[in-house]
């Protein structure tokens, strides 16, 4: 999974437990940092180090080579992703990229001079969706949205919830609308997966070509809710996630049957699970 990383970083990771590694941050000419056990620390040649001066430092050329390898040595095939400042490997590892956006006639045409890479490591976490499944989907399928600030396990729970629903409801056709190639990183069960299409395109193509009963999708943006509404109006169940860190009563899109707010203690632990009237079911 880490073959695209600079050799020095690969060496430093060998002494870490991969199940506890959630994020790797590379910045040109700056110390390498990792999120390990939920804490940001420096990465040294032999593993975790506390002192900045002992950390591995990568250069701009190493970052360029890392991106080239992550893109399967064909940056041109990943150009559309990179224009949105990300790149997803074939194993489902997502790289967030920061550099210089190039515009032509007001449109973004390329991302160049990448100097920062944020690598999010996907993990299957058994039972992390049990609570959500029990309160939202066990007795019947319901539209549901998972809400939290970034980095609190929404995608991990959504992925596991898809697997549970595929097992519980084998008669249902499930579509995974995976815009960034991360949601389907592991076994999605008996589901159809449409990668790297925007939400509007994925929902439209899926409705016309794949006849889904349930659509899973990740990280809804403001412009995506119209497509969600059309799918719900057509009688489909939509199970999604979105970044939202405020009071649940401030969430503007009242179209779901269940709303789940996640806490910070552990992946899948809900602060609240609310019905369509925002009554807490916990």
């Amino acid at each position: 999974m880490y073959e695209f990383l600079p050799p020095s970083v690969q060496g430093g990771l060998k002494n870490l437990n991969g199940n506890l590694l959630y994020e790797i941050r590379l910045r040109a000419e700056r110390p390498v940092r990792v999120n390990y056990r939920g804490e940001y620390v420096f990465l040294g040649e032999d593993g975790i180090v506390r002192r900045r001066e002992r950390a591995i430092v990568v250069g701009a050329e190493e970052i360029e080579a890392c991106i080239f390898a992550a893109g399967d040595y064909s940056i041109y095939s990943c150009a559309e992703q990179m224009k949105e400042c990300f790149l997803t490997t074939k194993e489902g590892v997502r790289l967030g990229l920061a550099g210089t956006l190039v515009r032509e006639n007001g449109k973004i045409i390329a991302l160049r001079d990448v100097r920062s890479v944020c690598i999010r490591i996907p993990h299957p976490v058994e039972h992390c969706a049990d609570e959500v499944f029990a309160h939202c989907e066990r007795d019947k399928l319901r539209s549901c949205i998972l809400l939290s600030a970034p980095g609190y396990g929404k995608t991990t729970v959504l992925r596991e919830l898809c697997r549970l629903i595929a097992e519980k409801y084998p008669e249902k056709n499930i579509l995974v609308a995976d815009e960034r190639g991360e949601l389907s990183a592991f076994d999605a069960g008996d589901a159809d997966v449409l990668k790297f299409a925007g939400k509007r395109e994925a929902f439209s193509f899926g409705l016309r070509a794949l006849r889904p009963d349930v659509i899973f999708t990740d990280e809804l943006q403001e412009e995506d809710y119209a497509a969600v509404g059309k799918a719900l109006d057509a009688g489909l169940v939509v199970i999604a996630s979105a970044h939202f860190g405020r009071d649940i009563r401030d969430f503007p899109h009242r179209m779901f049957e269940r709303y789940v707010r996640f806490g910070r203690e552990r992946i899948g632990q809900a602060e609240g699970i609310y019905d369509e009237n925002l009554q807490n079911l916990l």
Side-chain angles (χ1 to χ4, degrees), residues 37-256:
R37 299 179 182 270
E39 179 186 5
Y40 280 102
V41 290
F42 295 115
L43 181 70
E45 292 180 359
D46 298 317
I48 299 303
V49 295
R50 297 293 174 178
R51 295 170 56 185
R52 181 186 184 94
E53 59 270 20
R54 295 185 58 196
I56 296 167
V57 175
V58 296
E61 291 184 357
E62 289 176 285
I63 287 180
E64 183 178 343
C66 168
I67 297 169
F68 190 49
D72 206 21
Y73 301 97
S74 176
I75 289 298
Y76 294 105
S77 66
C78 304
E80 289 301 313
Q81 293 182 44
M82 291 183 65
K83 286 194 292 186
E84 297 186 28
C85 297
F86 82 97
L87 179 63
T88 305
T89 72
K90 58 187 178 182
E91 293 86 9
V93 178
R94 191 170 84 182
L95 286 68
L97 310 175
T100 302
L101 286 169
V102 181
R103 297 178 184 269
E104 186 176 277
N105 298 324
K107 296 181 64 175
I108 297 172
I109 62 170
L111 175 68
R112 296 176 181 167
D113 302 325
V114 175
R115 292 295 180 268
S116 297
V117 181
C118 172
I119 301 159
R120 294 173 57 177
I121 310 299
H123 294 280
V125 180
E126 289 186 5
H127 306 299
C128 69
D130 288 356
E131 185 178 37
V132 177
F133 182 78
H135 284 86
C136 301
E137 313 294 343
R138 185 180 298 279
D139 56 336
K140 73 169 191 174
L141 288 173
R142 295 180 176 90
S143 60
C144 177
I145 186 163
L146 314 182
L147 303 169
S148 80
Y152 291 103
K154 295 185 299 299
T155 301
T156 303
V157 174
L158 197 63
R159 190 187 294 125
E160 177 68 4
L161 191 59
C162 180
R163 188 188 64 78
L164 289 174
I165 287 177
E167 289 182 357
K168 172 74 174 181
Y169 301 97
E171 74 281 5
K172 299 297 185 182
N173 294 318
I174 297 174
L175 171 64
V176 178
D178 191 3
E179 184 172 3
R180 293 178 179 257
E182 187 179 20
L183 183 54
S184 58
F186 300 102
D187 183 11
D190 293 332
D192 303 309
V193 178
L194 183 58
K195 290 186 179 181
F196 305 128
K199 304 293 193 304
R200 185 174 61 182
E201 292 82 7
F203 277 52
S204 176
F205 298 160
L207 282 168
R208 287 184 291 173
L210 295 168
R211 201 190 65 74
D213 300 299
V214 186
I215 297 180
F216 278 84
T217 196
D218 202 11
E219 296 187 2
L220 290 177
Q221 304 295 314
E222 191 63 32
E223 63 271 17
D224 299 328
Y225 287 94
V228 173
K230 289 182 179 180
L232 294 175
D233 288 344
L236 277 68
V237 170
V238 176
I239 301 175
S241 71
H243 292 145
F244 188 78
R246 303 198 304 274
D247 190 296
I248 189 66
R249 291 169 294 184
D250 296 329
F251 187 68
H253 302 286
R254 303 293 179 85
M255 58 178 63
F256 297 91

Side-chain angles (χ1 to χ4, degrees), residues 15-28:
N15 293 319
L16 303 187
N17 182 341
N19 293 322
L20 302 175
L21 179 67
Y22 301 110
E23 195 174 278
I24 305 166
R25 287 185 174 265
L26 311 180
R27 297 184 176 103

